[in-house]
């Protein structure tokens, strides 16, 4: 069994990431297993946004800011101006920080009269028009009462509808300086009714110079709305928290996949073809999915769950995956789990399980047939109850050709170890992706980005046969808030092309964060086909050439640390070693490869990438350094075709609609079964 513990949680340095890989210099799409009666998906799930961050008019995404313009907003903001003046400035800051084209609107309440029915949509939700939003606020209010419940009810109608089968990211961002003083349904009850299971809508709240009763009401609204409460004691803080909340909404995880509703038990599990799928999972729920496997191919099933960032969770909350056959008495093939590992707030969770046929064959899970994947969500009683969107990826990797003798496994970091020298050049600006599907591609060099509290940025780096990924994430000195005692964390994690988390080895992947300079880092062993039979989490997933993923996270409690809305981060990335032309023993370098030569330190015996001999150290009992010559000979005789890296198969990119995180150790692929 593989016990990921907290190791796959992006939120505490235990992240997860998934993507396509290439093998032998080509990407081949794998057809479904011959004779298998695969059930094609019947419903297309829509992406939340396009790759450039914009969204079409039919997309289930959008941000509606709901601003209190009641009479109390005429009071002092703590700096000599009025609260309404501070709100105008804060709104301007927030819209400047939003990505171009992100659907955004503005509703006011208490802005025109003392009537408890006074709420007005002053700017509809449409592709971002910064000047129009500023003009819409104009010289409005402050005037009347605070009909918060009515404003929330109206706001839900302002947002675009969620099409059937879509996983939208719609957000209401409520800003107020006091509690509701109008009759009608309590705002907290309104929020709970509007949001429901929390899949497509959340409500965040910001309390501006607010009293105890008003804060309690806004915290209740945020909790019922599966959102986050932000406290803004002054105008500067209001601008910061508005920007954070707005950007987190706009930068939500970009989903891709077909609809696949998991069954309540193995008999009700939908049969999946290789590809990518979307579903949801509620607290303490188990979802089942089925796949057909042949007797020789490797199979990987990865699951990424995307809670609303920063919402209340327990450190033990998470996912448990189990892959088993469907015999009368099911036998477990692989299992893994992942948890948040802290109670700061929710972050993305990723974990994977796989079926790796045993080298000699004959093991229980080597047989062709139907297999079942169960995904179980655990949730403590006081944790957020929203359903989590889930992205599930099923990939198949066919065996090596019969005549191919794979290189020995490589389990030592060598030149990519702790003493590796990384690029020192000045960093270039880059914007990381929201997840696996839009991860920003990086090559060797230095890169600069920003992180919000409760946010993870995603990057991918091509790494070929025989090569190693090595990187460091640097956090500079940041201005902090006056309290000075708050702390959070920073973390990083790496993922193989099939989205299996890669073990930390001896690297430091998460550290406490208080605004002071620090770094976290990670590396991989050389990409080697035979690593799949290693037991160490740092080696077993590193078995396929292709895009390797980097996730960099900032904890939710950083809202109490950093004075700026986002903090700066620098990634120093290198790919070491010449890329080889294939996984076979003695494979020559790939023509045109540009990786740095690390031949002197490529494996535990000191052999270079062209010396794949198996030494006494490789085969020593219990050291996990490699596989014996008889075993490699057995592998070379395995039936099959040319190696194909774990490709996303049968997954077409979703049509775009027109218009407006020990460490990562958990999730190592299991050894021979």
């Amino acid at each position: 069994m593989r016990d990921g513990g907290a190791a796959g949680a992006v939120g505490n340095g235990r992240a997860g990431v998934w993507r396509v890989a290439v093998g032998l210099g080509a990407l081949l799409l794998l057809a479904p297993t011959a004779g298998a009666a695969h059930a094609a998906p019947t419903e297309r799930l829509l992406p939340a946004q396009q790759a450039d961050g914009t969204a079409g008019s039919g997309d289930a995404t959008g941000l509606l800011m709901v601003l209190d313009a009641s009479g109390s907003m005429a009071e002092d903001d703590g700096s000599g101006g009025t609260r309404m003046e501070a709100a105008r400035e804060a709104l301007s800051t927030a819209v400047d920080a939003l990505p171009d084209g992100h659907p955004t609107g503005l509703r006011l309440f208490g802005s025109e009269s003392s009537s408890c029915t006074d709420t007005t949509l002053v700017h509809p939700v449409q592709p971002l028009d910064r000047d129009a939003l500023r003009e819409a606020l104009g010289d409005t209010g402050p005037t009347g009462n605070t009909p918060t419940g009515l404003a929330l009810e109206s706001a839900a109608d302002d947002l675009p509808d969620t099409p059937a089968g879509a996983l939208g990211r719609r957000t209401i961002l409520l800003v107020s300086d006091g509690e509701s003083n109008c009759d009608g349904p309590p705002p907290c009850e309104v929020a709970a009714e509007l949001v429901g299971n929390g899949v497509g809508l959340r409500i965040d709240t910001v309390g501006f110079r607010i009293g105890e009763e008003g804060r309690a009401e806004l915290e209740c609204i945020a909790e019922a709305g599966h959102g986050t409460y932000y406290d803004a004691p002054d105008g500067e803080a209001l601008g910061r928290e508005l920007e954070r909340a707005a950007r987190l909404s706009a930068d939500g995880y970009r989903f891709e996949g077909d609809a696949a509703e998991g069954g309540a038990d193995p008999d009700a599990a939908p049969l999946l073809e290789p590809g990518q799928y979307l579903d949801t999972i509620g607290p303490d729920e188990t979802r089942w999915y089925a796949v057909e496997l042949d007797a020789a191919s490797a199979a990987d099933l990865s699951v990424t769950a995307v809670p609303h960032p920063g919402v209340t969770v327990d450190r033990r909350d998470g996912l448990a995956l189990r892959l088993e056959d469907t015999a009368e008495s099911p036998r477990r093939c692989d299992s893994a789990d992942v948890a948040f590992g802290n109670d700061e707030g929710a972050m993305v969770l990723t974990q994977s399980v796989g079926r790796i046929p045993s080298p000699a064959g004959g093991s229980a899970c080597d047989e062709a047939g139907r297999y079942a994947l169960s995904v179980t969500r655990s949730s403590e009683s006081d944790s957020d109850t929203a359903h989590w969107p889930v992205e599930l990826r099923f990939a198949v990797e066919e065996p090596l050709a019969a005549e191919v003798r794979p290189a020995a496994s490589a389990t030592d970091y060598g030149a990519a170890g702790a003493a590796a020298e990384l690029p020192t050049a000045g960093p270039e600006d880059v914007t990381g992706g929201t997840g696996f599907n839009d991860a920003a591609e990086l090559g060797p060099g230095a890169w600069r980005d920003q992180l919000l509290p409760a946010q993870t940025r995603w990057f991918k780096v091509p790494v070929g046969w025989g090569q190693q990924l090595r990187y460091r994430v640097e956090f500079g000195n940041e201005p902090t808030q006056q309290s000075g005692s708050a702390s959070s964390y920073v973390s990083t994690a790496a993922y193989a092309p099939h989205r299996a988390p890669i073990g930390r080895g001896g690297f430091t992947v998460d550290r406490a964060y208080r605004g002071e300079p620090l770094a976290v880092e990670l590396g991989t062993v050389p990409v080697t086909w035979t690593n799949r039979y290693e037991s160490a989490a740092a080696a077993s997933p590193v078995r396929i050439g292709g895009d390797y993923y980097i996730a960099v996270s900032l904890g939710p409690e950083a809202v109490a640390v950093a004075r700026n809305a986002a903090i700066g981060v620098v990634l120093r990335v290198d790919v070491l070693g010449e890329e080889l032309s294939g996984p076979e023993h003695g494979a020559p370098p790939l023509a045109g490869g540009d990786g740095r030569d690390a031949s002197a330190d490529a494996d535990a015996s000191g052999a270079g990438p062209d010396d794949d001999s198996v030494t006494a150290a490789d085969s020593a009992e219990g050291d996990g350094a490699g596989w014996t010559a008889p075993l490699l000979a057995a592998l070379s005789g395995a039936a099959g075709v040319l190696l194909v890296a774990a490709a996303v198969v049968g997954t077409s990119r979703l049509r775009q609609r027109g218009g407006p995180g020990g460490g990562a150790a958990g999730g190592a692929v299991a050894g021979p079964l």
Side-chain angles (χ1 to χ4, degrees), residues 426-475:
E428 300 179 36
D429 289 334
V430 67
T431 300
T434 66
F436 294 104
N437 301 307
D438 63 350
E441 183 168 338
L442 304 180
W447 310 90
R448 178 173 51 220
D449 200 358
Q450 289 187 327
L451 273 174
L452 298 162
Q455 185 177 50
T456 299
R457 290 288 207 186
W458 305 78
F459 309 89
K460 61 184 179 182
V461 182
V463 184
W465 295 111
Q467 293 186 310
Q468 297 174 259
L469 171 64
R470 180 69 165 87
Y471 70 93
R472 182 170 62 244
V473 186
E474 300 171 353
F475 298 83

Side-chain angles (χ1 to χ4, degrees), residues 227-576:
T228 301
Y229 170 76
Y230 299 86
D231 194 62
D234 54 43
E236 179 185 358
L238 180 62
R240 177 175 63 241
E241 306 308 346
L242 258 181
E243 179 180 345
R244 285 172 173 168
R247 287 175 61 179
L248 274 180
S249 171
D251 289 340
Y253 191 99
R254 311 286 197 264
F255 295 99
E256 288 188 9
D258 292 311
E261 184 176 352
D265 54 59
D267 292 337
L271 185 60
L272 305 181
E273 298 177 0
Q276 195 158 296
Y277 300 89
L278 298 177
D279 200 358
T280 64
I281 191 167
D284 299 317
E285 184 177 19
T286 296
R287 294 281 201 173
W288 288 87
Y289 310 88
V291 296
E292 290 278 357
L293 302 180
D294 62 27
S297 300
D300 294 288
L301 294 119
S302 303
V303 176
T304 293
V306 188
H308 294 307
V311 296
T312 301
V313 293
D314 185 88
R315 62 183 180 82
R316 294 164 291 189
D317 292 354
L319 298 175
L321 278 61
R322 180 185 176 104
L323 181 65
E324 59 187 35
D325 66 13
T326 54
E328 185 174 346
S329 297
R331 295 166 292 187
R332 185 181 68 201
C333 304
D334 195 10
S335 61
D337 57 59
V338 58
F340 294 111
N342 64 64
D343 57 4
E344 282 199 22
M347 304 286 277
V348 177
L349 294 172
T350 293
Q351 191 51 276
S352 70
V353 290
R355 194 287 296 269
I356 305 293
S358 59
S363 295
C365 292
D366 288 348
E367 299 173 2
R370 185 180 178 117
Y371 289 76
L373 169 70
S374 65
V375 181
T376 300
R377 173 183 166 186
S378 58
S379 184
E380 293 297 309
S381 59
D382 57 351
S383 298
D384 183 67
T385 60
H387 283 55
W388 295 348
V390 169
E391 189 172 75
L392 185 150
R393 183 176 179 273
F394 169 36
V396 174
E397 177 197 350
E398 295 189 0
L400 297 175
E403 68 275 10
V404 175
R405 177 187 175 190
S409 57
T411 63
D412 190 77
Y413 291 101
E421 295 183 3
L422 295 171
T424 58
E428 300 179 36
D429 289 334
V430 67
T431 300
T434 66
F436 294 104
N437 301 307
D438 63 350
E441 183 168 338
L442 304 180
W447 310 90
R448 178 173 51 220
D449 200 358
Q450 289 187 327
L451 273 174
L452 298 162
Q455 185 177 50
T456 299
R457 290 288 207 186
W458 305 78
F459 309 89
K460 61 184 179 182
V461 182
V463 184
W465 295 111
Q467 293 186 310
Q468 297 174 259
L469 171 64
R470 180 69 165 87
Y471 70 93
R472 182 170 62 244
V473 186
E474 300 171 353
F475 298 83
N477 198 30
E478 283 281 337
T480 57
Q481 298 188 46
Q482 292 180 352
S483 61
S485 60
S487 68
S488 185
Y489 65 85
V490 295
S491 67
T492 189
Y495 300 84
H498 53 293
R499 298 187 178 183
I502 298 170
R504 70 164 71 194
F507 294 100
T508 299
V509 298
D510 51 4
R511 298 183 68 177
Y513 180 71
R514 297 179 179 85
E516 301 168 351
L518 57 83
V520 291
E521 55 191 333
L522 194 52
T524 73
V525 299
V527 177
T528 310
W529 190 88
T530 320
N531 280 353
R532 67 194 59 214
Y533 301 119
E534 294 292 337
S535 59
S540 54
V542 188
R543 58 178 169 87
I544 300 169
D547 287 337
Y548 279 69
Y549 292 86
I550 296 171
V552 183
S553 303
L554 177 63
E557 289 299 319
V559 295
V561 178
R563 197 166 71 220
N564 293 325
I567 69 169
V569 57
V570 172
L571 283 78
R572 301 192 184 276
V573 178
D574 207 354
V575 178
L576 292 83

Side-chain angles (χ1 to χ4, degrees), residues 22-52:
V22 292
L24 298 180
L27 175 66
L28 305 180
L29 298 183
L30 304 181
T33 306
H38 293 288
T42 59
E43 184 178 21
R44 169 69 72 190
L45 281 166
L46 301 173
Q49 291 184 307
Q50 301 178 62
D52 63 0

Side-chain angles (χ1 to χ4, degrees), residues 177-241:
D177 69 340
E179 68 275 19
S180 175
N181 61 359
C182 289
D183 294 333
C188 197
E189 294 181 9
V190 172
E193 182 177 350
L194 292 176
V195 173
N197 65 16
V199 171
L201 175 64
R202 65 176 285 166
I203 302 175
D204 291 330
T205 60
V206 181
F208 181 31
R209 291 185 65 82
I210 200 162
E212 185 175 336
E213 291 184 4
R215 179 182 293 105
E217 181 176 271
L218 292 182
E219 288 176 339
C220 182
I221 292 170
E223 181 179 359
H226 305 302
T228 301
Y229 170 76
Y230 299 86
D231 194 62
D234 54 43
E236 179 185 358
L238 180 62
R240 177 175 63 241
E241 306 308 346

